[in-house]
Each structure stands twice: as C-alpha cells, then as structure tokens.
Amino acid sequence: MSLSMLNTHTQVVLSKKSATSGLQAKKKASVSGRCQPIVKAVQTDELVFPDFTPMSKASPEGTPKVSPLIMPSRPRRNRKNATLRAGFSETHLSPANFILPVFVHDGEDDIPIGAMPGVNRLGWQTGLLRDVAEARARGVNSLVVFPKTPDHLKTPTAEEAFNPDGLAQRTFRLLKKKFPDLYIYTDVALDPYNSDGHDGIVRDDGVIMNDETVHYLCKQAVSQAEAGADCVSPSDMMDGRVGAIRAALDSAGFPDVSIMSYTAKYASAFYGPFREALSSAPVEGSAGRVIPPNKKTYQQDPANYRESLREARLDEAEGADIMMVKPAGAYLDVIRLLRDNTTLPISAYQVSGEYAMLKAAAERGMLNEEDAVMESLLSIKRAGADLILTYYAKEAAQWLQ
C-alpha cells in the first residue's frame, strides 16, 4: 500500500472513531442525571450500545440497592396491566356453564335449609317458578330438580320414584309448560324415595342390591323422560346402570334424551347439608334388618384416583353423553383425569358442603364471598369441567355481568 493510500485509510478510521465518540458523548449527555452505565460501553465500528441501570422510581426506605438481574424472560411482563391479563386469560366462565340445583316440595312456601343459608325448599308451583325466572334473566337456563318426598310416600323399594304423578314428574311438566326452552336435568336414584335412605334397595342383611335397583332406575328414568326431562342423571353409582338406562330410553321412544352420568361420585363428607335438605341420609337398622350407615359400598373411596378412569371408560362405552365428578373442589385432579381421557363433556358438582363452607366463611367476614366463589368456580372450569352444578349459579351469573 502506498504512503498516500495509508494516510487516507488512517484518516477514515480516525473519522469513524471520532464519529463514534461523538455519538457516545451525545447519548451520555441525553441520559445525564437519570441513570449511570453499569458496564463499559461496547463499541463497534458504527454504533455504541451502553447498558444502563433502570430509571429510579420512588421506593420505601430500606429497599436494598441491587444490580438488575440478567434474565431475558420475565413472566411478569405479561401480567403488568389489566389489558394484557384479559388478553392472555386462558379460562372463562359464562352463565351457560352453570346448572342450578333446586329443591322442591309439595307446598307453597319457601322452607329455609338450615345448613345452606340462602337456599330453600321451594314450592313447586310458586317459589320454583320465581327462582327459575330469575336464573333465566341472568343467563342460567339449566337446572337439576331434587324433590323432597313426604315420609309417608317412602318405602324400602322406592316405587314413588317412577310414579307418573309424583312430585318430580309434576314439576318437570310444569316447568316445560312455563319455560319450553328450559333445559331440565334430573336425578336418577332411589334415596329421595327410599325409607332406608340409600340409593338402592337394601337387602335384609345390609347388601345394596345392584341389578334389582337398576331395574327400578330404568323405570324412573323413563318416567322422567315422559314428563319432559331433557337429560337424566343417574347418581346412584350402581354398576351397569348407564347402559341399562340408555337401552330403556331408546326402547321407550326417547333416543334424544341424554344421560349425564355421575361417573366419579365419591363417598364424601361434603354431602351433609344436601341430605338435610331432602331428609335422605341412611337410617338406623331395625330388628332383623341391617342398614349400612354410609354409602361406601357403591360410592368411590376418596383415596382412589385410577378407579375413576375405570368408571369413565365403562360409562362412555355404555352410552353416557356427559360425565360428572362429584364433589368438585376436593377432586380437581379427577376432573382433569377425565378431561384428558375422553372427548365427552365433563360436568362437576360444587356440592352442598362446599357451598356451606364458602357461605359460613363469608358470613363471618373471613372471606370476600364474591371473590372466593368466583375463584372456586374458575378453578373447577380450569381443571376441565364444561358444566358446573352450583348453588351459586344465580349469584355467579350476576357477578359475571
């Protein structure tokens, strides 16, 4: 390289360095008094990229002075304001997700249920129609009916369950007359009609008879369909009842009536308030008859997880349209298990004991009722439930608005 060319190259290099130094000086001046570089500027031939400490924000006295953590991914950036949180929210509740459980009796007045503040046995021609109208106005158009059978109509074999003029059947016909597009779920089980307080017929030695009970459950389901039910819901936990009920409905001319099976119904301590509402708890045995004090020979053991998958596979094969987990809150893992192993819709029952706990804590000022209820319902939905049976259906629908 000639001397003149070398001089020219040197001048160009010096000009680049001078320009770089000028740019660096300008950038330093622009942030003077706001922040200081924490490392020496990294230079290139054309640009300077200084690292700066964040702009100082007011913080409480005693806050430690630290260098920023070096981490490319900060998840909190996606939670920093309400707009982003709403945009990234993965789980959403709607009134269409709720099924309202209602208790009815053969009278006119509302009868408060002591263990469930705010919930009543409703007159089937009075309070029920009022509550259904209120629920529909808030977007809840599904309910499940539980009748309080008078004691004098209860028998060990529970034939009142399929009485065409029984309280449940009269209620379904009235609801369909008043609200033709209302979606009615039923309860298929013998305990509201059984003088022994069990979901099935009790043999004298204390055994809950499976196949004989299923025969009566089929008659009950058909009678409910004849009265206008849209979906029958066997909660009894007898083996084989879903397939038998499906066959009975089809044979009776009701192929479009659905089945929501209580697939994973656990022998839970959270059912107490419900049994008070219907007076359906097991009774004590008498001379010559053994009455089991609990329902553990047919409802699932709370310790078991895999057993629910076995029940789910059977119910799906037998023709269930929806599969339920009951209770919901203590069995979120089971809801997720069913969600991940079937394409059928999943429902979950936030049962009476869950309602009573939330209500009691809220009444004592221990919880914000709205926040706690909505969080519990959201967690059930997040676990995989498409439908949620909840005594808070009307309130939750209102809060969503």
Side-chain angles (χ1 to χ4, degrees), residues 270-287:
F270 290 100
Y271 302 151
F274 179 97
R275 291 173 181 167
E276 175 188 328
L278 294 186
S279 300
S280 60
V283 301
E284 293 184 4
S286 58

Side-chain angles (χ1 to χ4, degrees), residues 4 16 72 111 126 169 179 182 190 198 203 216 245 251 269 283 294 299 311 334 336 338 350 352 361 369 387 400:
S4 61
K16 284 188 176 182
I111 301 176
T126 52
Q169 289 80 355
F179 312 104
L182 179 70
L190 300 187
H198 276 280
R203 206 166 62 191
Y216 273 1
I245 289 172
S251 297
V283 301
N294 55 57
Q299 294 177 357
E311 293 281 0
V334 179
R336 174 49 57 185
L338 267 60
Q350 187 183 54
S352 59
E369 185 172 19
L387 299 172
L400 284 171

